[in-house]
Amino acid sequence: MAAADIDLAVIIPLYNEGAVIQENFRRIRQVFAEDGLACHFVLVDDGSSDATWQEISLLVKEFPEVSALRFARNFGKEAAICAGLERVEARRYLVMDSDLQHPPRCVKEMVALMEREQADIVEGVKEKRGRESLAYRLLANGFYRLMKLLTGLDLERSSDFKLLDRGVVEALRRFEESSLFFRGLVAWVGFKRVAYSFAVDGPGCRRSRFTAGKLIRLALNAILSYTSKPLYLTIISGLIFLLISVLLGIQTLYNYFSGRAVSGFTTVILLLLFTGSMIMISLGFIGVYIARIYDEVKRRPRYVVSETAGM
Ligand code: UDP
Ligand code: MG
């Protein structure tokens, strides 16, 4: 497949979507056909444990404009998106969820916007969140606030629903790190970008494929692979603590010389506990980063493809 052959490559990561993919894909395909969007679909099965691959294979047989990749295990949505962007050559790339929460109706406008504004990136921005559970909303809000604090990037309301020009994808392909955060990278590369706001659509009450554990891992991954600020945070809190200890030290000495010692026993215990926890936290952060470095120097592939269809 040469670059000129495909005008728009649509990358869709899939994880345990076997029950709904047939219906959802047909819906997406139909909307694109109605809107006159000629495109090639790349369905990436992120190591699903259900019948997703069988269903995708049926779609590949049925439609010539569909090709598919299957991961050997669940490597995560970020890796699935990457694989899609790496494995197909096209003039433009669209990344979207399979569950219709990224409304296919909007794509035509996004393409028009890209052409009108001569932009390289059109970012889908969530107008309002769809029906999400309270716990999810709290977690997501906390995550975005933390991200903003640590990276200075406003990732609130951002989504993976993005239209990218070939140049951007070529830049993204040059990233060699093995763990990455798609939205962070797209924000990092620069280029001319415009926002496109959309209302999250689709069956919002469906259970998310992201469990709490997965979301926490994603949040950690986003922070650790994007910034080393927590390392500085450790140093700063260490300095603040040093200042407090100096003040307390002066007070203790003063008490000692004025013959009022012993009574400060509580302080000692509290101090010990506090220092202990500070050291633990710092060591934890350093450990996590070292683990990161270890992961990166191993140069492991981001994902392993076990099967392809229609590629
Ligand atoms: N997904 C994936 N790998 C995962 C989890 C999710 O490829 O480990 C896909 C999923 O199939 C869907 C998209 O990522 O196409 C978004 O997932 P979901 O709708 O469950 O997430 P949410 O709506 O909670 O963001
Ligand atoms: Mg969803």
Side-chain angles (χ1 to χ4, degrees):
M1 282 180 282
D5 293 350
I6 300 173
D7 190 52
L8 178 68
V10 181
I11 318 289
I12 308 180
L14 298 157
Y15 180 59
N16 289 350
E17 305 274 3
V20 287
I21 181 60
Q22 286 281 345
E23 196 189 320
N24 288 351
F25 177 76
R26 273 164 218 278
R27 179 94 199 91
I28 294 171
R29 188 179 167 275
Q30 189 201 338
V31 172
F32 284 7
E34 281 168 13
D35 287 345
L37 288 167
C39 57
H40 185 90
F41 293 94
V42 184
L43 306 179
V44 185
D45 176 7
D46 184 12
S48 302
S49 50
D50 67 352
T52 303
W53 181 250
Q54 283 71 23
E55 298 296 333
I56 295 177
S57 304
L58 291 177
L59 289 171
V60 172
K61 279 197 198 105
E62 189 174 339
F63 304 109
E65 74 272 31
V66 180
S67 53
L69 286 177
R70 181 186 200 180
F71 280 2
R73 65 164 169 88
N74 183 225
F75 282 92
K77 186 181 178 185
E78 315 297 313
I81 293 172
C82 263
L85 296 177
E86 276 168 6
R87 298 286 179 119
V88 66
E89 302 302 331
R91 208 158 71 80
R92 278 186 287 228
Y93 296 80
L94 176 81
V95 176
M96 75 189 293
D97 282 4
S98 64
D99 57 2
L100 303 174
Q101 284 182 331
H102 296 162
R105 279 271 169 242
C106 297
V107 176
K108 190 186 180 188
E109 274 174 65
M110 287 169 82
V111 172
L113 187 67
M114 180 176 248
E115 268 160 21
R116 201 166 57 238
E117 301 273 334
Q118 296 281 306
D120 300 301
I121 303 171
V122 178
E123 304 187 273
V125 176
K126 290 181 213 165
E127 216 162 64
K128 57 174 169 43
R129 296 252 179 80
R131 268 180 294 153
E132 288 166 342
S133 70
L134 183 71
Y136 183 93
R137 212 158 48 227
L138 282 179
L139 205 64
N141 277 344
F143 167 52
Y144 287 123
R145 208 158 300 155
L146 189 67
M147 269 310 271
K148 178 126 197 239
L149 190 80
L150 289 173
T151 65
L153 281 172
D154 190 2
L155 290 177
E156 161 103 84
R157 299 197 306 144
S158 75
S159 72
D160 290 325
F161 191 27
K162 291 189 197 306
L163 182 64
L164 308 171
D165 190 73
R166 184 177 172 78
V168 179
V169 173
E170 269 167 11
L172 289 177
R173 284 179 186 169
R174 285 178 33 223
F175 283 77
E176 284 181 2
E177 57 231 66
S178 40
S179 52
L180 30 77
F181 181 56
F182 180 63
R183 278 178 245 177
L185 291 190
V186 172
W188 190 89
V189 288
F191 287 97
K192 181 163 170 51
R193 57 189 61 237
V194 282
Y196 174 88
S197 68
F198 69 97
V200 174
D201 209 6
C205 40
R206 181 178 78 71
R207 233 179 85 240
S208 172
R209 295 296 183 264
F210 287 96
T211 55
K214 250 187 175 172
L215 275 179
I216 291 168
R217 232 174 301 144
L218 183 72
L220 260 184
N221 183 20
I223 294 164
L224 293 175
S225 61
Y226 194 80
T227 174
S228 44
K229 273 193 191 150
L231 282 176
Y232 298 100
L233 223 75
T234 319
I235 297 170
I236 291 167
S237 47
L239 284 176
I240 292 171
F241 183 68
L242 190 70
L243 191 75
I244 297 172
S245 342
V246 168
L247 292 177
L248 276 174
I250 292 170
Q251 194 213 19
T252 315
L253 282 177
Y254 174 78
N255 283 347
Y256 179 78
F257 284 117
S258 57
R260 280 184 286 157
V262 181
S263 63
F265 212 61
T266 349
T267 331
V268 174
I269 294 169
L270 285 177
L271 266 178
L272 270 176
L273 287 174
F274 192 51
T275 355
S277 56
M278 291 287 284
I279 292 170
M280 297 290 268
I281 294 169
S282 320
L283 280 180
F285 268 123
I286 294 167
V288 174
Y289 276 99
I290 289 177
R292 265 309 149 105
I293 295 169
Y294 182 53
D295 274 347
E296 295 296 340
V297 295
K298 276 189 290 193
R299 287 258 153 267
R300 286 207 183 148
R302 280 178 206 144
Y303 53 84
V304 177
V305 173
S306 65
E307 262 176 276
T308 62
M311 295 294 274

